[in-house]
Amino acid sequence: MSEPLVAVDHVSRQFVKPLGWAESLANRVGGDHREVVVHALDDVTLDIQRGEVLGIVGESGCGKSTLGRIVAGLLPPSAGAVRFDPSGSNAKLARQMIFQDPSASLNPRLHVVDQIGEAAVAHGLVKPREMRDYVVNLLAQVGLDASVLSRFPHQFSGGQRARIGIARALAVKPELLVCDESVAALDVSIQAQVLNLFAELKRSLGLTYMFISHDLGVVQHLSSRVAVMYLGRVVEIGSTASIFSGPKHPYTQALLEAMPRIRTGHQRFAVIKGEVASPVNPPSGCHFHPRCPRADAKCSAVAPVAVMRGDIRIACHYA
Amino acid sequence: MTTLLDVKGLKTYFATTLGEVRAVDDVSLAVAEGEVVGLVGESGSGKSVTGYSLMGLVDAPGRIVAGSVKLQGRELVGLGERDWRALRGHDIAMIFQDPMLTLNPVLRIDTQIIEAIRAHADVSAARAREWAAEALAGVGIPSPADRLTAYPHQFSGGMRQRVAIAIALLHKPKLLIADEPTTALDVTIQGQILAQVQTLATQMKTSVIWITHDLSVVSGLANRIAVMYAGRIVEEGATTDVLTNPAHPYTRGLLRSLPSQNKPGETLTQIPGAPPRLLGERVGCSFAPRCDQAQVVCSEADPDRTVAANRAVRCHFALREEVAV
């Protein structure tokens, strides 16, 4: 196999909420206030091959967005390293992020033409007088026409705004797109349009994606490989086909069973008990043990080491 | 089965500076006792406003301009606020998407539950407290007696939604309207909540209208499904029939655009365009501009609601399609 585009190597990330003045003062006179530390990522190792779509799934608080930001270069890791190896010269531009809410990530006061073209001009990819044509070209790639050039973001529907967000990311010729819940806010019929656009751009531009979503159906559809995260750790990673047909980790199994599907006849819901613990104070050993039907004393004491099972890498004592 | 709720020709319009928005435009729906009906639609299709209309919660600039809503034969449209207060929480209850907006953040859980209990039942404070604890236990909240004294922010999202459900079901309402209550929750928690509502509704023989944008959520829950588009129910029928043999092109498109209904990696079948605005006069079928089967008649004449073989459809070509299948 060739060198991966991205190699995430034992990356951890904590967020620390420092003590306020009152707590510091209280500590001086014998109080015992500690800083609140959120363990967002805990020793994550994975790589993204060129031209693949790596799906990241997990429930809220599992660290998938933090991982996305670190891979996109928006956030430094607290420990570990991310190696990004683009073929082009400008490594900073080669990874771009597409966010969940395009109305929050687009500038409400910029015309679409500036919104999309500004970065390309600023980085010298196109000359200022060529910007208009350049943007028209990008708009065509995402399925919008030149008539929208001088409109503002609020004049578009949610699906169109998503397309503008994608065009803006494409403007600097990226090799890696990190999509963080990029279709979560869209209606089903619009979501299908945008998912098709992602697939089409991958084919025509040879893009690599890291596709973060809580929606297993969307991830299954688009990804070639999937990583399942739970409380800051990757519990299972492997090819989409293997994971969706034969998940090995009890958490992945529960997640897939809870996934709503079109079916006729009554469905029995609720296959997993309890809720995700707080990343401020994650459970000992395997983070999943308080909810796991198979957990025993070893699980609450020792964090499992990842092992290979076929083409799946899994972190569970009993897989 | 006896009909519990009978909605006929309901129209809820909102007056805006741009004109009248026809959020709900001629909706008819019947719900039998103990039945679970899934009301499915995309944003702006009028599914939530339909729910609010049934609860008497439509405020100015919106108003119900026509139609009738009958609960066990009793007309609810035009009811005074006094009557509504006696009805809401007792006969009809609603749960919303965001429990943080329905629970009062500065009141303890017990205060809120007991208030809801004593609004409709004349019981002692001690009994009300007991009742509140039982209600929390009923929705699967561990150590309910202790949790009673907590504030909403001390609960997780899933737990808050359970509290909201507990409050809604206090008086064993005849009808529960659930407006996307699991949309903001994680899948495993969503599964727990769905199971809880399924069990409780069966136990209490409560009918449920489950409003959602997600067909797959109601497919395992609802006896019948009603699909809304642009303020109207375009198709309604038994869950199995609607899912396996959709008669309206919009329902078909919606089903086909779901990633889980397609082979991984293949191009999704998409519905072109975007939902229409609900302003102004309705000319022709609202779905016609996006419909792959639209003919001239579709953009000229508004299709009527036709009922055949236990299925109500609003499409000029729906029945022909059904014969063909």
Side-chain angles (χ1 to χ4, degrees):
Chain A
M1 223 187 312
S2 64
E3 280 289 288
L5 180 61
V6 180
V8 176
D9 189 20
H10 298 286
V11 161
S12 297
R13 171 77 204 197
Q14 287 100 35
F15 293 95
V16 182
K17 183 183 168 223
L19 292 179
W21 64 270
E23 285 111 332
S24 320
L25 199 66
N27 275 354
R28 282 205 201 163
V29 293
D32 185 23
H33 292 281
R34 306 232 168 107
E35 289 174 329
V36 177
V37 181
V38 175
H39 302 269
L41 286 181
D42 183 5
D43 196 19
V44 169
T45 298
L46 53 81
D47 48 28
I48 307 176
Q49 301 296 332
R50 285 169 215 279
E52 80 166 345
V53 180
L54 176 68
I56 309 278
V57 293
E59 297 180 280
S60 15
C62 73
K64 55 190 193 296
S65 288
T66 304
L67 180 61
R69 279 161 189 270
I70 287 176
V71 167
L74 298 178
L75 205 63
S78 308
V82 176
R83 213 178 55 243
F84 180 56
D85 185 24
S87 48
S89 53
N90 197 332
K92 266 198 179 137
L93 294 182
R95 43 184 170 174
Q96 290 295 318
M97 191 147 179
I98 295 171
F99 300 90
Q100 171 170 357
D101 184 359
S103 46
S105 60
L106 296 175
N107 186 332
R109 298 171 196 210
L110 273 189
H111 287 302
V112 165
V113 58
D114 299 314
Q115 198 98 242
I116 296 175
E118 191 178 35
V121 172
H123 289 284
L125 297 177
V126 288
K127 297 194 181 81
R129 57 189 161 79
E130 290 164 5
M131 180 171 98
R132 207 190 130 89
D133 291 340
Y134 185 70
V135 172
V136 169
N137 202 5
L138 284 165
L139 284 173
Q141 281 184 31
V142 297
L144 294 171
D145 60 50
S147 66
V148 305
L149 278 175
S150 50
R151 284 207 242 157
F152 291 104
H154 74 265
Q155 294 171 295
F156 295 91
S157 67
Q160 288 171 319
R161 274 201 288 264
R163 288 170 194 272
I164 295 170
I166 296 168
R168 185 180 61 175
L170 295 178
V172 291
K173 304 199 162 74
E175 291 172 41
L176 173 72
L177 284 186
V178 177
C179 305
D180 188 2
E181 298 279 9
S182 306
V183 295
L186 302 175
D187 275 317
V188 183
S189 71
I190 308 297
Q191 174 179 296
Q193 296 172 3
V194 176
L195 287 176
N196 282 343
L197 176 63
F198 277 131
E200 198 183 296
L201 292 171
K202 175 178 180 291
R203 276 192 296 271
S204 59
L205 302 174
L207 292 171
T208 304
Y209 290 92
M210 176 169 174
F211 198 87
I212 301 164
S213 178
H214 71 284
D215 187 329
L216 294 158
V218 167
V219 167
Q220 179 180 20
H221 180 77
L222 207 65
S223 313
S224 37
R225 278 196 312 142
V226 181
V228 182
M229 292 186 68
Y230 190 78
L231 271 182
R233 291 179 183 160
V234 173
V235 295
E236 186 164 7
I237 180 170
S239 75
T240 307
S242 312
I243 286 198
F244 277 85
S245 61
K248 303 269 190 303
H249 196 283
Y251 177 62
T252 316
Q253 290 167 354
L255 209 56
L256 288 183
E257 249 178 278
M259 167 180 169
R261 296 164 207 267
I262 293 287
R263 62 180 88 198
T264 50
H266 251 42
Q267 180 173 0
R268 275 199 49 227
F269 298 101
V271 285
I272 186 171
K273 289 194 179 60
E275 301 193 348
V276 182
S278 161
V280 174
N281 196 8
S284 61
C286 171
H287 286 170
F288 187 58
H289 83 261
R291 301 176 79 189
C292 184
R294 281 192 246 160
D296 61 14
K298 189 178 177 190
C299 301
S300 52
V302 189
V305 179
V307 291
M308 290 304 293
R309 291 278 179 274
D311 66 344
I312 292 180
R313 195 185 80 210
I314 175 178
C316 174
H317 289 302
Y318 298 103
Chain B
M1 270 197 284
T2 30
T3 305
L4 175 78
L5 180 82
D6 195 11
V7 183
K8 280 213 167 74
L10 181 70
K11 293 185 180 181
T12 307
Y13 293 176
F14 288 79
T16 69
T17 47
L18 296 174
E20 211 162 32
V21 174
R22 301 165 172 227
V24 176
D25 200 4
D26 198 6
V27 160
S28 300
L29 181 70
V31 180
E33 271 174 25
E35 189 179 40
V36 180
V37 175
L39 191 59
V40 184
E42 298 184 278
S43 19
S45 62
K47 54 193 192 304
S48 289
V49 178
T50 304
Y52 294 147
S53 305
L54 303 185
M55 275 292 275
L57 290 176
V58 178
D59 288 329
R63 68 197 175 92
I64 296 179
V65 297
S68 106
V69 177
K70 282 191 174 140
L71 186 74
Q72 289 181 317
R74 182 184 175 197
E75 180 59 67
L76 301 187
V77 173
L79 222 55
E81 193 51 32
R82 236 184 115 83
D83 293 324
W84 266 121
R85 285 184 74 106
L87 213 68
R88 271 189 226 124
H90 189 266
D91 298 292
I92 309 183
M94 189 159 180
I95 43 179
F96 300 87
Q97 178 168 347
D98 187 355
M100 214 45 204
L101 297 178
T102 34
L103 297 173
N104 188 328
V106 297
L107 291 182
R108 291 193 332 208
I109 295 295
D110 54 356
T111 319
Q112 305 191 42
I113 302 184
I114 290 170
E115 186 188 0
I117 290 175
R118 299 184 89 180
H120 296 289
D122 187 16
V123 292
S124 70
R127 170 70 196 119
R129 201 167 184 80
E130 234 174 64
W131 188 340
E134 287 162 15
L136 286 192
V139 291
I141 291 181
S143 44
D146 301 334
R147 297 298 273 160
L148 273 178
T149 53
Y151 287 90
H153 74 266
Q154 294 171 300
F155 286 88
S156 67
M159 285 296 171
R160 278 200 286 266
Q161 197 56 279
R162 284 167 200 266
V163 173
I165 292 171
I167 293 177
L169 295 178
L170 280 173
H171 299 283
K172 300 190 167 52
K174 297 176 186 116
L175 177 68
L176 175 69
I177 301 170
D179 188 3
E180 305 248 17
T182 60
T183 305
L185 303 175
D186 284 318
V187 261
T188 58
I189 309 298
Q190 167 172 281
Q192 295 169 359
I193 299 277
L194 285 169
Q196 208 90 55
V197 172
Q198 214 169 32
T199 320
L200 290 174
T202 317
Q203 275 172 12
M204 299 178 178
K205 298 186 176 60
T206 294
S207 306
V208 180
I209 297 181
W210 193 282
I211 300 172
T212 180
H213 69 284
D214 190 343
L215 263 175
S216 43
V217 165
V218 286
S219 73
L221 182 75
N223 309 102
R224 276 190 310 129
I225 286 184
V227 181
M228 281 194 83
Y229 188 79
R232 297 195 153 168
I233 292 178
V234 294
E235 177 164 7
E236 184 214 324
T239 304
T240 319
D241 297 345
V242 173
L243 294 180
T244 53
N245 183 20
H248 196 283
Y250 176 64
T251 317
R252 276 202 292 277
L254 212 53
L255 276 167
R256 284 183 195 152
S257 57
L258 286 173
S260 59
Q261 294 297 100
N262 288 263
K263 281 216 180 77
E266 271 180 21
T267 307
L268 298 172
T269 321
Q270 59 189 44
I271 306 176
R277 298 188 176 205
L278 304 170
L279 276 170
E281 205 60 37
R282 190 187 284 271
V283 182
C285 171
S286 312
F287 187 61
R290 303 177 75 187
C291 183
D292 53 4
Q293 288 168 26
Q295 311 275 333
V296 183
V297 59
C298 298
S299 50
E300 286 170 353
D302 196 8
D304 286 329
R305 180 172 181 268
T306 45
V307 185
N310 225 348
R311 186 105 57 114
V313 189
R314 269 183 191 275
C315 176
H316 290 299
F317 299 100
L319 295 177
R320 193 177 296 175
E321 175 73 18
E322 206 169 34
V323 170
V325 166

